[in-house]
Amino acid sequence: MKHLSSNQIRSSFLEYFAGKAHQVVASSPLVPGNDPTLLFTNSGMVQFKDVFLGRDLRDYRRATTAQRSLRAGGKHNDLENVGYTARHHTFFEMLGNFSFGDYFKKDAIAYAWELLTSEKWWGLPKERLWVTVYHEDDEAHALWATIFKREGLSLDRIVRIGDNKGARYASDNFWQMADTGPCGPCSEVFYDHGAHIAGGPPGSPDQDGDRYVEIWNLVFMQYDRSASGELTPLPKPCVDTGMGLERVAAVLQGVHSNYDTDTLRAMVSGAKRVTGARDMHAPSLRVIADHIRAVSFLIVDGVVPSNEGRGYVLRRILRRAIRHGYKLGCSEPFMHRLVDDLAREMGEAYPELNKARERVTGTIFLEEQRFAETLATGMQLLDNAIGRLGGHKVIPGDVVFKLYDTYGFPLDLTADVARERGLTVDEVGFERAMESQRALGRAASKFGAEYSQDIAIDHKTAFIGYDGCRGSSRIAALFKLGGDGEGRALAQVESLHHGDEGLVVLDETPFYAESGGQVGDRGVLRGVDAEFRVDDTQKRGGGGAFAHMGTLIMGELKVGESIEARVDETARRATMLNHSATHLLHAALRKVLGEHVTQKGSLVAPDRLRFDFSHGQPMTREQLADVETLVNAEVRRNLAADVREMPYDDAIKFGAMALFGEKYGAKVRVMKFGDFSTELCGGTHVQATGDIGLFKVLHEGGVAAGVRRIEAVTGAGALEAVAETEALLGRVADAVKGGRESVEDKVRQLVDRAKKLEKELDALKAKLATGGSTDLAASAVEVAGMMVLAARLDGADAKALSEAVDRLKDKLKSAAVVLAAVEDGKVRIAAGVTKDRMDKVPAGELAKLIATACGGKGGGRPDFAQAGGTDPAPLDAALAGVADWVRARLG
């Protein structure tokens, strides 16, 4: 058996299958580009899903990959086991070979056996290999039997799974992509690590032991399962295989645990170095070694820490690692220091890691800083809660929720701590507290709470507003808002009368209902002798009915009547400009900042646009300018809007960006502006980018960890913003008595002069604080062998007082010094004690003595302390008593 490094295993696997006419395909990102509902890429077949389903045609029929994969959410949530077992990971690499209607079982099995056992390749001992087949798959069994007979191996090592002969899981060796669709039997290859490790062969009662480890799974997709469960043979069967690199590395490197393989061992060693841990075998080091791979590659692929979706999984993993560093005694940020170690191990195979190294390091460091601020406090709360449990073994749900809500402790992090101490957490109580908070949040976020009630109506309004702002329609339903105060409620009625507030539901409407960040349209509905003012349009009745919200300002409306619907065209047009600009802004941000940028929220209103996006640091002035320039360049190109409706899968192939977590129908609307921007969007847009006129950024700032926000204006709003800036520049020019062309130099001169004056002022204050020509040190008195100085220096600021205390300590050698100043009725105090006396006369207590007398508080280190007070009257007396206080302390 050859001894190969992880890098050698990866490259030789790809080399072997390249030699068998397979196309070597690069690893896809951990964020699936072809399925926004899938949390992470969790296997090699994800990027080929559409190929297997026949929706995507490639120019090759054989492929091989080394795929970065992650399993840390949903049914794959094994987070609590990572670090404590030999083979659980969040991040792992899946080696695979695929056939898209080309070769099938015979070649797949032959390839696997040759690569594993041939002396030219890996040379695994044949007598240590076992295989399993689905119990009805006679073809696969016969193919393996032919090989085993040729090699002189017992056929008992070929185990039928699912035949009720000791197998625990009847479906272990049958794979399917979903409840319906392509599926088929599997054949798995196992390696026997030896009798010194507990566990039995596959299919036996003790098969869950660690002795026999699955290293390769060959999936033979040969059926199509219907909704009724019927299996129909596929016209072109396919092969999908997966081999965990970490598992086969353990085999080829002669170790049992994946954490003893070269790459992970290097990361464990790095974790030991940066945390200062002593025990190389501590489970916490394995947790950190695994998690640095997961968080780094997630950030490489554009995920940023947040409180939702993929960002929340990243935050959970990272905070779990930070907590394990804390457990090892490391209280300083350390995870970011491992990025270089990881790049050395995996950067050659995945150059995208090297490219994003600076961004990865910075993102991790920022998250470490944020969590470090609350980790110690949160752990203290948890320790106190555990201490109050007495003989109970369950941490209450309200405590778990407080840790999550106040200190950012994910549930599984608290559960991790609990498990280490032989405890569990009350997950039901936690969820109850979580739901209570959600309910409060929903109630607090209601705009016009009385209008937020959904309506019981089974009606679907047709939207006809893409091509215009007017239309005729029929009233399908009316709802009146009745009652007073908090008791107001909607009730379905047959008619509305003058002055009534309520909702009007139409058969079809040109009014856009709020969706995708775009606000609802406003305008009027007119009948024969009636006029209804529409203040907002929202989706109700499960999203199918468009509810026109407002007040009947004239006449009467009845169900079934015909009306004319008129949208406020000025507001709609302004909204369209802003909406199209958000698409251009999104594309520009990805070009300037990187492809990790994804939309996290938006507001598109007539007067402005707001766009939230994933990014870990504030944008620089230059980056904002570049984004603004890019957007305006596309505006000037006057690109025509290319609007298409197509099936969702076709839209993704077309290059449209889909948002994770959004629900899309079978057919979607694609909005394309040249080659610059292509997104899925159901909103209203301009006919060409030139309609936007001008794009102007007003503000950029943070709204949450890892999420930034840009506010901007377009069209007339942008021109107004420019005019305001021009007016402001003119006022500044007048104030500094210069022209616009010289205002920058004038302001810079004023700033430089102000800085110079501040320095001179600081120097004067320092001179004052040290006594000027009068030597303050001469005022010190000797008390029991040490010098004591207490003085008042009005006019000195905190910095000057601090510097004066330090200088006087140096001059007096063995001393206690307290200086105070009064400014605007406030007392400022600084105290210092030389090291030889600070155990008997702590500076913190000395400062507190003066502060307490002056109605304040304070304290600090034994050698230096600061304090403040609100009553200057007792200050002189307090300072006069310092010498006696020191004398009493020294006995």
Side-chain angles (χ1 to χ4, degrees):
M1 180 171 66
K2 293 186 177 180
H3 186 284
L4 301 176
S5 69
S6 293
N7 286 332
Q8 289 172 324
I9 293 168
R10 187 190 303 108
S11 60
S12 63
F13 181 92
L14 298 176
E15 180 188 351
Y16 173 82
F17 281 103
K20 301 296 183 182
H22 287 62
Q23 175 72 40
V24 178
V25 181
S27 170
S28 64
L30 290 175
V31 177
N34 58 346
D35 187 353
T37 63
L38 183 63
L39 197 63
F40 299 113
T41 299
N42 54 29
S43 66
M45 65 79 58
V46 169
Q47 69 168 307
F48 301 117
K49 179 180 176 181
D50 289 339
V51 182
F52 286 125
L53 292 172
R55 299 171 180 164
D56 185 13
L57 294 177
R58 304 285 177 96
D59 57 2
Y60 49 84
R61 298 178 64 190
R62 300 180 176 202
T64 183
T65 63
Q67 175 63 53
R68 295 185 282 112
S69 305
L70 191 135
R71 294 180 182 175
K75 67 179 182 179
H76 297 302
N77 187 14
D78 289 332
L79 198 58
E80 66 177 15
N81 293 318
V82 173
Y84 293 92
T85 69
R87 276 172 287 281
H88 272 104
H89 301 288
T90 52
F91 176 93
F92 59 96
E93 294 181 77
M94 186 68 80
L95 306 175
N97 58 289
F98 308 89
S99 165
F100 311 120
D102 188 12
Y103 64 85
F104 200 45
K105 294 180 186 178
K106 181 179 180 181
D107 288 334
I109 289 172
Y111 292 157
W113 188 258
E114 181 181 22
L115 176 62
L116 291 173
T117 64
S118 168
E119 290 301 322
K120 178 182 177 181
W121 295 100
W122 292 352
L124 266 63
K126 300 170 185 176
E127 64 277 5
R128 289 205 169 194
L129 297 178
W130 289 60
V131 297
T132 64
V133 296
Y134 185 56
H135 70 102
E136 295 178 354
D137 193 355
D138 295 332
E139 181 184 3
H141 188 279
L143 289 167
W144 281 116
T146 299
I147 292 175
F148 274 43
K149 288 176 183 177
R150 185 185 70 216
E151 302 290 351
L153 301 173
S154 171
L155 298 188
D156 291 341
R157 292 176 179 266
I158 307 172
V159 182
R160 290 181 182 265
I161 296 293
D163 58 1
N164 298 318
K165 293 182 179 179
R168 292 181 60 188
Y169 306 108
S171 61
D172 264 359
N173 274 55
F174 196 91
W175 183 92
Q176 53 192 62
M177 191 177 295
D179 293 337
T180 60
C183 57
C186 308
S187 181
E188 298 174 326
V189 182
F190 288 75
Y191 182 80
D192 178 3
H193 274 280
H196 62 290
I197 297 172
S204 68
D206 54 350
Q207 65 175 359
D208 287 341
D210 279 345
R211 175 175 173 178
Y212 297 85
V213 175
E214 176 204 336
I215 57 173
W216 207 344
N217 186 15
L218 316 178
V219 178
F220 308 124
M221 281 188 276
Q222 63 186 97
Y223 300 112
D224 181 30
R225 187 187 293 276
S226 67
S228 64
E230 182 180 357
L231 296 177
T232 304
L234 290 171
K236 292 183 178 180
C238 300
V239 172
D240 160 25
T241 83
M243 169 189 285
L245 173 60
E246 293 79 7
R247 291 190 176 200
V248 77
V251 171
L252 288 169
Q253 293 173 21
V255 296
H256 177 249
S257 170
N258 291 358
Y259 291 95
D260 290 330
T261 59
D262 57 341
T263 298
L264 281 166
R265 187 172 63 248
M267 299 316 301
V268 169
S269 178
K272 179 177 181 292
R273 182 190 76 250
V274 299
T275 61
R278 296 181 180 180
D279 181 9
M280 184 71 173
H281 301 289
S284 291
L285 293 179
R286 296 195 292 272
V287 171
I288 295 166
D290 171 273
H291 289 6
I292 188 60
R293 301 205 305 169
V295 299
S296 295
F297 279 108
L298 281 173
I299 296 168
V300 165
D301 291 335
V303 182
V304 294
S306 69
N307 287 328
E308 60 182 15
R310 297 181 177 114
Y312 181 58
V313 176
L314 167 58
R315 173 164 284 168
R316 284 168 52 202
I317 296 172
L318 182 50
R319 291 192 169 184
R320 183 173 188 258
I322 296 170
R323 205 279 300 181
H324 276 275
Y326 182 88
K327 183 182 175 185
L328 293 170
C330 183
S331 58
E332 298 296 323
F334 66 92
M335 283 287 283
H336 67 285
R337 295 168 57 195
L338 288 170
V339 176
D340 287 345
D341 296 63
L342 181 62
R344 280 194 296 272
E345 293 297 318
M346 302 185 70
E348 182 178 347
Y350 301 107
E352 57 266 43
L353 175 61
N354 285 326
K355 184 178 178 182
R357 189 189 307 193
E358 184 176 340
R359 175 165 56 86
V360 173
T361 302
T363 301
I364 293 175
F365 180 66
L366 284 174
E367 185 68 8
E368 286 190 278
Q369 284 186 311
R370 291 188 185 106
F371 192 45
E373 295 170 2
T374 60
L375 178 60
T377 307
M379 285 300 299
Q380 183 63 50
L381 173 66
L382 181 55
D383 288 339
N384 292 341
I386 291 173
R388 292 193 299 268
L389 289 179
H392 298 286
K393 295 291 184 179
V394 181
I395 301 175
D398 60 338
V399 173
V400 180
F401 177 74
K402 183 177 181 181
L403 284 165
Y404 164 79
D405 191 44
T406 306
Y407 301 103
F409 277 44
L411 172 63
D412 44 26
L413 191 153
T414 305
D416 210 29
V417 177
R419 186 179 70 159
E420 292 169 1
R421 306 189 188 185
L423 305 171
T424 59
V425 298
D426 175 16
E427 292 193 26
V428 174
F430 171 81
E431 290 298 334
R432 190 184 303 117
M434 179 74 84
E435 182 53 38
S436 295
Q437 187 196 55
R438 291 191 190 109
L440 288 172
R442 286 193 294 268
S445 66
K446 290 176 181 176
F447 172 75
E450 61 270 18
Y451 279 116
S452 68
Q453 308 162 49
D454 205 352
I455 55 178
I457 180 172
D458 185 15
H459 184 81
K460 188 173 180 63
T461 303
F463 178 60
I464 57 171
Y466 287 128
D467 299 320
C469 292
R470 296 188 181 189
S472 297
S473 188
R474 187 187 68 87
I475 297 175
L478 295 169
F479 293 82
K480 179 182 176 181
L481 186 64
D484 297 310
E486 294 184 1
R488 307 192 79 191
L490 288 167
Q492 190 164 3
V493 294
E494 289 300 312
S495 61
L496 290 177
H497 301 275
H498 178 260
D500 286 346
E501 297 178 67
L503 314 180
V504 180
V505 179
L506 304 178
D507 281 341
E508 59 183 31
T509 182
F511 282 76
Y512 184 83
E514 181 177 329
S515 180
Q518 180 174 331
V519 299
D521 279 333
R522 57 182 187 247
V524 295
L525 305 178
R526 288 197 175 101
V528 177
D529 295 309
E531 184 170 316
F532 184 89
R533 186 186 70 230
V534 180
D535 298 318
D536 194 7
T537 310
Q538 300 277 336
K539 292 182 179 180
R540 291 290 182 267
F546 283 29
H548 305 75
M549 304 174 174
T551 305
L552 188 62
I553 59 176
M554 184 177 74
E556 180 183 9
L557 288 180
K558 294 181 180 180
V559 173
E561 287 183 342
S562 295
I563 58 94
E564 182 186 10
R566 292 188 178 186
V567 175
D568 181 333
E569 292 191 46
T570 302
R572 162 73 81 82
R573 179 169 177 76
T575 302
M576 289 163 57
L577 304 187
N578 286 331
H579 200 160
S580 296
T582 63
H583 285 223
L584 301 182
L585 172 61
H586 191 186
L589 286 167
R590 288 172 65 85
K591 290 182 183 299
V592 172
L593 301 179
E595 294 188 359
H596 64 281
V597 169
T598 54
Q599 181 178 334
K600 292 299 182 183
S602 69
L603 171 69
V604 182
D607 59 331
R608 71 194 190 285
L609 68 89
R610 187 179 73 210
F611 189 79
D612 297 344
F613 58 98
S614 55
H615 188 58
Q617 294 86 30
M619 292 179 65
T620 65
R621 192 188 309 276
E622 292 75 16
Q623 288 171 334
L624 281 170
D626 289 345
V627 166
E628 200 173 83
T629 299
L630 274 174
V631 172
N632 282 312
E634 297 306 310
V635 170
R636 290 194 302 276
R637 287 178 66 193
N638 198 26
L639 301 167
D642 181 359
V643 185
R644 309 185 187 189
E645 279 198 2
M646 61 181 74
Y648 171 80
D649 292 327
D650 291 346
I652 298 302
K653 290 180 198 172
F654 189 60
M657 286 190 63
L659 302 182
F660 172 69
E662 287 287 321
K663 294 182 179 179
Y664 297 102
K667 275 207 164 187
V668 293
R669 192 165 181 266
V670 179
M671 177 60 60
K672 188 174 192 294
F673 293 112
D675 295 328
F676 193 74
S677 168
T678 306
E679 294 191 28
L680 302 181
C681 185
T684 59
H685 287 271
V686 298
Q687 292 184 336
T689 57
D691 297 345
I692 294 170
L694 179 66
F695 172 81
K696 185 65 182 172
V697 173
L698 299 181
H699 176 72
E700 188 273 343
V703 292
V707 179
R708 308 296 298 176
R709 170 174 292 173
I710 281 181
E711 295 182 29
V713 286
T714 62
L719 290 174
E720 289 175 11
V722 171
E724 289 176 5
T725 302
E726 288 286 306
L728 175 62
L729 179 60
R731 292 194 297 273
V732 172
D734 290 343
V736 298
K737 298 183 177 6
R740 294 192 177 197
E741 67 284 350
S742 63
V743 67
E744 183 178 359
D745 288 338
K746 290 280 188 180
V747 170
R748 185 175 289 111
Q749 289 170 15
L750 288 173
V751 170
D752 291 343
R753 184 183 177 193
K755 288 181 178 178
K756 182 180 179 181
L757 290 173
E758 286 175 2
K759 288 182 179 179
E760 291 176 356
L761 180 61
D762 286 342
L764 289 172
K765 286 181 177 179
K767 186 176 181 181
L768 171 66
T770 52
S773 58
T774 303
D775 190 356
L776 260 183
S779 304
V781 297
E782 184 177 350
V783 177
M786 70 178 292
M787 303 306 292
V788 178
L789 174 60
R792 177 167 169 168
L793 295 173
D794 291 341
D797 59 15
K799 181 181 178 184
L801 286 179
S802 173
E803 291 177 352
V805 167
D806 286 341
R807 290 175 185 173
L808 288 165
K809 281 168 56 180
D810 290 342
K811 190 165 189 176
L812 295 172
K813 304 303 181 187
S814 178
V817 179
V818 58
L819 301 177
V822 176
E823 185 177 1
D824 297 329
K826 304 290 184 182
V827 179
R828 188 178 291 124
I829 304 160
V833 179
T834 53
K835 290 184 178 181
D836 63 321
R837 296 289 184 166
M838 64 185 188
D839 57 333
K840 294 286 185 68
V841 186
E845 294 188 25
L846 180 54
K848 186 177 179 181
L849 171 74
I850 308 300
T852 302
C854 297
K857 57 184 179 179
R861 305 189 308 268
D863 61 327
F864 180 77
Q866 291 178 306
T870 58
D871 183 8
L875 177 59
D876 292 334
L879 292 172
V882 167
D884 289 339
W885 181 83
V886 172
R887 189 175 291 107
R889 294 284 303 199
L890 296 175

